[in-house]
Amino acid sequence: MIKTIRMATWNANGLQERTKDLELLMHTQKLDICLVSETHFTKESHIKLANYNIYHSNHPSNKARGGTAIVIQKSIKHNLELNIETEEMQVTTVTLSLKNKSCKISAIYCPPRYKLKKEDYIQLFKKLGNTFILGGDLNAKHTHWGSRLTTSKGKELYQAGFQLKCEFISSGSPTYWPSDKDKIPDLIDMFIVKGLSRNYMHAVGDETVASDHTPVILTINSSVIIKTAPPSLTNMKTNWHQFREDLQTIQLKVPLKTSYELENDIDLLIDAIQQAAWNNTPPKTEMVSNQTTYSLEVRKLVNEKRKARKKWQCTRAPEDKTILNYLTNKLSNMIQKNKNESVTRYLCNLSAEKDTDYSLWKLTKRLNKPATQNPPIKRKDGTWAVKAKHKASMFAEYLEETFKPLPRQTSEENLARVKNKNKSEIKLVKFKELKNVIKTDLNIKKAPGYDLITGKIIKELPDKVLQKLMHHINAAIRLKYVPTQWKVAEIIMIPKPGKSPNDIKGYRPISLLPIISKIFEKILLKRLKPVIETNNLIPNHQFGFRNNHSTIQQVHRIVEIIEKTLETRKVCSSVFLDVAQAFDRVWHRGLQCKLHQMLPEEWYLILKSYLENRHFRVKVEDEYSELKEIHAGVPQGSVLGPVLYLLYTQDVPQVENTTLATFADDTAVLAVGRNVKEATNYLQHSLDEISKWTRKWRLNLNEIKSVHINFTNQKTTPFAVTVNSQKIPYSNTAKYLGMTLDAKLRWKEHVKKKKEEINIKFRRMQWLMGRNSQLSLHNKILLYKQIIKPIWAYGIQLWGCTRKTNLKIMQTIQNKILRQITNAEWYIRNERIHNDLKISTVQEEVRRHAVRHVEKLKSHENPEMQKVINSTGNFRRLKRTKPMDLAQ
């Protein structure tokens, strides 16, 4: 029996010319077996490799095309099986003993021109038996095993493998590299395994050979292969008591009179916290949770079956064969029953409580999760970055250009600084306040920054260390200097939905800042907010990042204007603007100029230090880029960043006869006129002023992603509007802050999109929430309320004005889902299900949300929302339900 084996699958694209590459691959990777596809052998072809046996299958035409081969060490005991040599596929197979089982190892090549069906793959898998490893170039793509897209051939292969309970194991990275630079690499080489647990296997790509295909190396261990966990200072077994004891040696009486002394002492504190955490955290031993534990009865039956098989192999008597068949079927049924009970037990033990480590929510995150893709990134010269180190460098260079201000666009950049004459000393933090911020405002689930110090570690710090941290924060306030250790961001790149994962622009940066810096920012923001509110520095039309200002309230402002327009037979011409890279492109010099004018000198100096000398590095897998400097933008992932953006954009021009609605960078401009031409003229004038302002302050409007829409009941022909001489696309619907607005404000399109979203989400969760699921009813209802219901309930106090037919659509969806959750029979009425589960109908939810919404509006501090309340009693011409009517 072989305990550990290493094998590779590789498309050689002509093996005779690449014999040296094969030999290099076998020796450098210490391979026991190599499954080669596209050997291009004929009956007259052959190669030799010292200490290896080579078996091959050729194309039936005996031409130098296709073909497979298995290269296997002579020391491994094996037997050659019958080969398959057809036009559709070529397969070479050997049998060896692997993990106490007789296992077939097969190399396969499927030419791309033949469209194999599910039945063809099932027939092949059945020929290979109950235990096999099949590797090669199948020319089938599916996102399940990490391909860029799914093809019809990939669907057929996936369905066949799913039916026969096969595992698809790949490296997650592209394996085919086309010579045409315009074509995108993809994953088509992989392993298909049956009868062996994937917990004992691990696949990686290799780039040591020269071919248009990358080898995939599979390691099969005798013990479970545990992937390296991300670096962490602590785990569930950290000795927190000793951790606090080790930190008692920290010195408190250290001079902090200069920025150098402050930064040096911060370095010492970070090192001390990290060392104490490491010293008191044992190595993490991960357990595999998805293995089935078999009962003693099953294990006894396995032994009986083995004895019966051995006896039959000796006697070949029919009665012994009958006994073997009986025991085989009995064992199969018992194992299936054991697995079902195990799954049932697992589902029944799921809960959303801390006692089970929130197992229910962790499971829902993994629903139908495909293989993690690791796509290459295309460089400017057409080559591909494959290794994590190269990707990190590419991302860092791209972000370095992104975090630079746009070039000067106008001659009107008058940045003469006007000093604010007001005085306002920044209050130092007290120990009690610091402890309260850590206790109430610190989320322990937030990811740590580059220093790996988590919120949990901060909460476990002894008072002596917290006093040290208080001294550092007060020194930073006193010196008007923010330490550089608090200004280093670790960035990870997340693919944007619908964007190409091979394009560097198809990724969104997620910035992780040190937790200590966030504590400092929270304290600073508490002191900055009263200054902002006293001086009314944020305009009323801005609802983003403000207390008691929600997205729904901002949308209600827009809805009220549109409703009034429809009542008075006018036209509301609107544009929903997209600001390109709004937070990343904020011009530091321009922001500092505005801060100097708006805020007292003390605030200007500390915020100036906060913006300057910031750095970042990019992390890809376990690799890091070099540190890069940030020259523009407000810090992402920070607490102060959003507020600084609001201050930077607070003077965006508002033009007469138009309404401006902003939520951070989401901007809507509405103009009302007696006809389309008049409304469009008002709108164009406002857009011209906004464009002029953005050029002055070096912001960029994305005309292509912006939307122009006319809200009216009239049949009209729209007039074009432009931004920076570029026409804005016109549409009959526009999405703003998660709500889909149509030209007549019927909400039909919004209901339609929510229906599609719910159906997609529920299909992914049906095995967990459906009729046949063994999950408890309590947990099913919990999942519905927390995951499905918020999809349609968002904004219901506004879209609840839609027609009854649209409300009925949403109610029907809820009825169907609840009937599946409860496994209700056909004769049970929907009203009874709602009453028994204590779940409100859609109409009841409309009223409940509307009443609460109106109560908040009555006491709202923003004058813009008071206008909404005061316009309720206006004359009505149309028989339309309005948001304020829903609460009555």
Side-chain angles (χ1 to χ4, degrees):
M1 183 194 72
I2 302 170
K3 291 186 177 180
T4 302
I5 195 168
R6 280 173 64 82
M7 68 175 67
T9 180
W10 174 44
N11 184 313
N13 196 14
L15 188 56
Q16 280 190 312
E17 297 82 8
R18 292 188 170 87
T19 305
K20 293 294 183 183
D21 291 330
L22 174 62
E23 191 173 2
L24 177 67
L25 176 66
M26 300 295 290
H27 288 294
T28 55
Q29 293 294 339
K30 299 180 180 178
L31 297 178
D32 302 296
I33 303 173
C34 186
L35 310 179
V36 186
S37 51
E38 280 209 89
T39 57
H40 294 179
F41 280 177
T42 64
K43 293 179 180 179
E44 294 77 27
S45 306
H46 70 279
I47 63 170
K48 291 184 178 181
L49 210 60
N51 301 319
Y52 290 92
N53 288 329
I54 301 177
Y55 310 99
H56 57 87
S57 302
N58 303 331
H59 193 274
S61 66
N62 198 35
K63 293 182 179 180
R65 66 175 66 167
T68 58
I70 292 182
V71 183
I72 183 169
Q73 277 191 7
K74 292 181 178 179
S75 60
I76 297 176
K77 188 176 180 181
H78 62 276
N79 300 309
L80 180 64
E81 298 288 331
L82 290 176
N83 296 335
I84 299 175
E85 296 180 342
T86 64
E87 292 278 351
E88 294 80 9
M89 67 176 71
Q90 295 92 56
V91 182
T92 308
T93 305
V94 298
T95 303
L96 50 82
S97 179
L98 191 64
K99 297 184 70 62
N100 291 321
K101 295 181 180 181
S102 177
C103 178
K104 286 185 172 64
I105 310 293
S106 298
I108 185 171
Y109 175 68
C110 296
R113 60 183 294 188
Y114 296 104
K115 305 299 181 184
L116 298 178
K117 297 297 182 182
K118 172 183 173 182
E119 292 74 21
D120 300 319
Y121 291 117
I122 290 177
Q123 185 179 1
L124 170 64
F125 295 160
K126 286 184 176 179
K127 283 183 180 179
L128 296 179
N130 294 324
T131 306
F132 65 80
I133 299 175
L134 176 70
D137 180 1
L138 291 106
N139 278 300
K141 302 177 184 179
H142 200 292
T143 54
H144 178 79
W145 50 76
S147 299
R148 182 173 54 89
L149 46 82
T150 299
T151 60
S152 57
K153 197 172 179 179
K155 289 180 181 177
E156 299 289 336
L157 176 59
Y158 173 74
Q159 290 172 5
F162 181 79
Q163 181 173 324
L164 295 184
K165 300 179 180 179
C166 298
E167 296 276 5
F168 298 92
I169 300 179
S170 71
S171 63
S173 302
T175 59
Y176 171 56
W177 303 85
S179 55
D180 187 349
K181 292 183 178 180
D182 294 330
K183 292 184 178 180
I184 300 176
D186 215 334
L187 191 156
I188 56 177
D189 303 85
M190 60 179 170
F191 292 94
I192 303 175
V193 180
K194 184 179 180 183
L196 298 170
S197 173
R198 71 179 303 151
N199 294 322
Y200 298 87
M201 303 180 189
H202 180 56
V204 295
D206 180 79
E207 302 170 31
T208 58
V209 296
S211 174
D212 58 350
H213 284 255
T214 300
V216 180
I217 298 171
L218 179 70
T219 303
I220 307 172
N221 241 6
S222 57
S223 57
V224 175
I225 296 176
I226 300 175
K227 294 182 180 179
T228 306
S232 176
L233 295 178
T234 62
N235 57 38
M236 298 291 289
K237 296 184 179 180
T238 300
N239 187 339
W240 292 112
H241 175 74
Q242 190 59 45
F243 167 78
R244 290 186 287 270
E245 288 294 322
D246 291 352
L247 288 173
Q248 294 297 335
T249 58
I250 285 180
Q251 297 296 320
L252 289 179
K253 296 183 179 180
V254 177
L256 301 174
K257 297 180 180 180
T258 65
S259 59
Y260 173 79
E261 291 176 341
L262 175 59
E263 292 199 343
N264 185 59
D265 203 45
I266 287 175
D267 280 335
L268 294 176
L269 177 62
I270 292 174
D271 290 343
I273 294 174
Q274 290 174 335
Q275 196 61 50
W278 274 320
N279 292 343
N280 295 285
T281 302
K284 189 174 182 181
T285 55
E286 299 188 27
M287 300 298 292
V288 179
S289 59
N290 59 345
Q291 294 189 99
T292 304
T293 302
Y294 294 109
S295 63
L296 181 61
E297 187 179 3
V298 171
R299 293 198 291 270
K300 286 182 177 179
L301 195 56
V302 169
N303 291 330
E304 290 181 22
K305 179 194 167 186
R306 287 175 180 170
K307 291 178 182 178
R309 183 179 60 200
K310 186 176 181 180
K311 183 178 180 181
W312 174 76
Q313 288 173 342
C314 294
T315 65
R316 296 292 175 174
E319 56 271 20
D320 292 334
K321 178 62 173 176
T322 302
I323 295 173
L324 175 60
N325 291 341
Y326 169 75
L327 292 175
T328 300
N329 293 332
K330 184 178 179 181
L331 178 62
S332 177
N333 294 333
M334 190 176 291
I335 288 175
Q336 187 61 46
K337 181 181 177 182
N338 189 281
K339 286 184 177 180
N340 291 339
E341 289 176 352
S342 178
V343 171
T344 302
R345 192 163 52 249
Y346 172 66
L347 292 176
C348 291
N349 290 332
L350 289 175
S351 79
E353 305 300 327
K354 185 178 179 181
D355 297 340
T356 60
D357 197 21
Y358 309 103
S359 56
L360 181 64
W361 302 128
K362 289 185 176 181
L363 175 64
T364 55
K365 288 182 180 180
R366 299 195 299 268
L367 290 178
N368 296 333
K369 189 176 181 180
T372 303
Q373 295 190 35
N374 187 18
I377 308 298
K378 196 169 189 177
R379 299 188 179 97
K380 292 181 180 179
D381 60 1
T383 59
W384 297 92
V386 181
K387 293 184 178 179
K389 184 69 175 178
H390 298 159
K391 291 183 189 178
S393 298
M394 277 189 67
F395 282 129
E397 291 170 5
Y398 169 73
L399 291 177
E400 187 179 25
E401 290 299 315
T402 301
F403 297 147
K404 286 182 179 180
L406 292 170
R408 183 168 182 161
Q409 304 176 55
T410 176
S411 58
E412 299 181 17
E413 290 181 357
N414 181 13
L415 296 184
R417 293 183 177 175
V418 179
K419 185 176 179 180
N420 190 301
K421 297 181 180 180
N422 295 332
K423 294 286 184 180
S424 177
E425 283 292 332
I426 304 174
K427 185 180 176 182
L428 299 180
V429 65
K430 295 183 179 180
F431 185 69
K432 184 177 179 180
E433 181 187 1
L434 176 62
K435 290 194 71 173
N436 187 55
V437 169
I438 292 174
K439 181 180 179 181
T440 59
D441 295 346
L442 194 61
N443 187 351
I444 63 173
K445 294 183 180 180
K446 291 290 185 181
Y450 74 96
D451 57 7
L452 301 180
I453 297 177
T454 62
K456 174 66 175 175
I457 293 177
I458 298 295
K459 286 182 178 286
E460 294 289 346
L461 292 175
D463 286 353
K464 190 174 184 180
V465 178
L466 294 181
Q467 288 177 348
K468 186 77 165 177
L469 180 58
M470 179 188 69
H471 294 335
H472 289 164
I473 294 173
N474 286 336
I477 294 174
R478 189 176 62 253
L479 296 170
K480 310 297 182 291
Y481 176 80
V482 181
T484 55
Q485 296 96 324
W486 297 351
K487 298 188 290 186
V488 177
E490 185 167 290
I491 293 179
I492 56 177
M493 306 298 288
I494 305 296
K496 296 179 182 178
K499 300 293 184 180
S500 171
N502 305 105
D503 186 0
I504 198 169
K505 296 180 181 179
Y507 289 80
R508 178 180 291 109
I510 303 297
S511 181
L512 304 177
L513 291 170
I515 301 295
I516 294 176
S517 74
K518 293 183 179 181
I519 295 173
F520 168 73
E521 291 182 42
K522 287 177 185 290
I523 291 171
L524 206 60
L525 184 60
K526 265 185 185 176
R527 288 149 173 73
L528 179 59
K529 276 186 175 180
V531 179
I532 293 174
E533 292 169 358
T534 301
N535 296 283
N536 295 320
L537 297 180
I538 298 178
N540 293 330
H541 64 75
Q542 177 60 264
F543 277 50
F545 306 111
R546 299 180 65 183
N547 293 337
N548 303 318
H549 287 66
S550 68
T551 55
I552 300 303
Q553 292 168 355
Q554 183 67 292
V555 178
H556 194 168
R557 277 188 67 214
I558 294 176
V559 167
E560 190 63 32
I561 294 171
I562 298 171
E563 289 282 4
K564 187 176 180 181
T565 301
L566 299 176
E567 288 283 357
T568 55
R569 298 181 180 179
K570 294 182 179 180
V571 177
C572 178
S573 189
S574 309
V575 165
F576 296 87
L577 292 170
D578 180 83
V579 184
Q581 298 175 324
F583 290 83
D584 298 334
R585 291 289 192 178
V586 170
W587 182 26
H588 281 181
R589 189 179 165 210
L591 176 57
Q592 290 171 9
C593 176
K594 291 187 176 185
L595 293 176
H596 207 181
Q597 182 178 353
M598 290 185 290
L599 300 176
E601 182 74 11
E602 294 78 7
W603 280 106
Y604 162 72
L605 291 174
I606 196 167
L607 292 176
K608 180 174 180 289
S609 174
Y610 174 77
L611 289 170
E612 292 177 341
N613 199 27
R614 300 193 74 92
H615 293 81
F616 74 94
R617 69 177 185 182
V618 178
K619 179 183 179 184
V620 177
E621 296 178 15
D622 296 328
E623 299 289 345
Y624 298 90
S625 70
E626 296 179 353
L627 276 178
K628 302 284 186 179
E629 192 168 356
I630 299 174
H631 298 282
V634 293
Q636 288 194 25
S638 66
V639 179
L640 280 173
V643 177
L644 293 178
Y645 179 81
L646 300 188
L647 294 175
Y648 186 65
T649 58
Q650 53 85 30
D651 58 343
V652 60
Q654 300 182 67
V655 179
E656 190 179 359
N657 297 319
T658 61
T659 300
L660 194 63
T662 55
F663 196 95
D665 61 328
D666 289 307
T667 305
V669 186
L670 295 83
V672 178
R674 289 168 295 180
N675 51 54
V676 177
K677 186 175 181 180
E678 184 181 57
T680 305
N681 288 337
Y682 290 150
L683 180 64
Q684 185 62 63
H685 178 52
S686 178
L687 293 177
D688 291 341
E689 293 298 314
I690 292 174
S691 300
K692 183 179 177 181
W693 178 88
T694 56
R695 289 194 298 272
K696 177 180 179 180
W697 296 105
R698 302 193 185 186
L699 289 175
N700 187 26
L701 296 176
N702 192 330
E703 302 87 6
I704 303 300
K705 292 185 178 180
S706 300
V707 177
H708 175 211
I709 180 174
N710 290 331
F711 295 100
T712 179
N713 281 327
Q714 304 173 18
K715 291 183 178 181
T716 59
T717 302
F719 290 84
V721 293
T722 61
V723 169
N724 299 325
S725 302
Q726 296 289 323
K727 181 181 176 181
I728 296 179
Y730 184 84
S731 175
N732 287 320
T733 61
K735 189 173 182 179
Y736 184 65
L737 300 179
M739 305 286 288
T740 302
L741 309 174
D742 56 272
K744 295 184 179 181
L745 207 62
R746 299 290 188 186
W747 299 106
K748 184 176 180 179
E749 287 299 317
H750 180 80
V751 172
K752 180 181 177 181
K753 289 183 182 296
K754 291 302 174 183
K755 177 184 176 181
E756 294 172 354
E757 191 177 345
I758 290 170
N759 287 336
I760 292 172
K761 182 71 73 174
F762 186 70
R763 276 199 299 269
R764 295 180 61 191
M765 301 182 64
Q766 192 163 17
W767 72 275
L768 195 60
M769 298 172 63
R771 293 181 182 273
N772 298 324
S773 172
Q774 298 299 318
L775 190 67
S776 67
L777 181 60
H778 170 77
N779 284 334
K780 287 182 180 181
I781 297 300
L782 188 61
L783 288 178
Y784 173 74
K785 289 182 177 179
Q786 296 296 323
I787 297 177
I788 305 295
K789 184 179 176 180
I791 296 175
W792 60 264
Y794 174 76
I796 198 172
Q797 55 268 63
L798 302 180
W799 72 260
C801 299
T802 190
R803 292 177 176 177
K804 292 182 178 180
T805 53
N806 291 327
L807 288 174
K808 187 177 179 180
I809 291 173
M810 206 57 68
Q811 184 62 60
T812 302
I813 293 174
Q814 176 167 279
N815 292 345
K816 289 181 178 178
I817 294 176
L818 293 182
R819 295 188 77 87
Q820 290 206 45
I821 285 175
T822 57
N823 193 20
E825 298 292 345
W826 63 269
Y827 51 81
I828 298 179
R829 302 180 68 86
N830 292 321
E831 293 81 2
R832 180 180 172 184
I833 296 175
H834 281 73
N835 291 334
D836 291 347
L837 297 178
K838 297 180 180 179
I839 291 181
S840 306
T841 63
V842 173
Q843 189 63 56
E844 290 170 345
E845 286 294 320
V846 169
R847 174 165 174 73
R848 186 173 69 85
H849 280 77
V851 170
R852 190 166 58 182
H853 175 65
V854 171
E855 289 300 319
K856 287 183 179 180
L857 293 187
K858 288 179 180 179
S859 58
H860 207 283
E861 59 188 23
N862 195 319
E864 293 295 325
M865 298 314 299
Q866 293 302 318
K867 293 179 183 178
V868 174
I869 294 290
N870 296 334
S871 65
T872 303
N874 292 344
F875 169 77
R876 297 192 178 189
R877 179 180 62 88
L878 303 173
K879 295 180 180 180
R880 294 172 63 98
T881 303
K882 297 185 179 181
M884 301 298 291
D885 301 335
L886 298 175
Q888 298 175 2

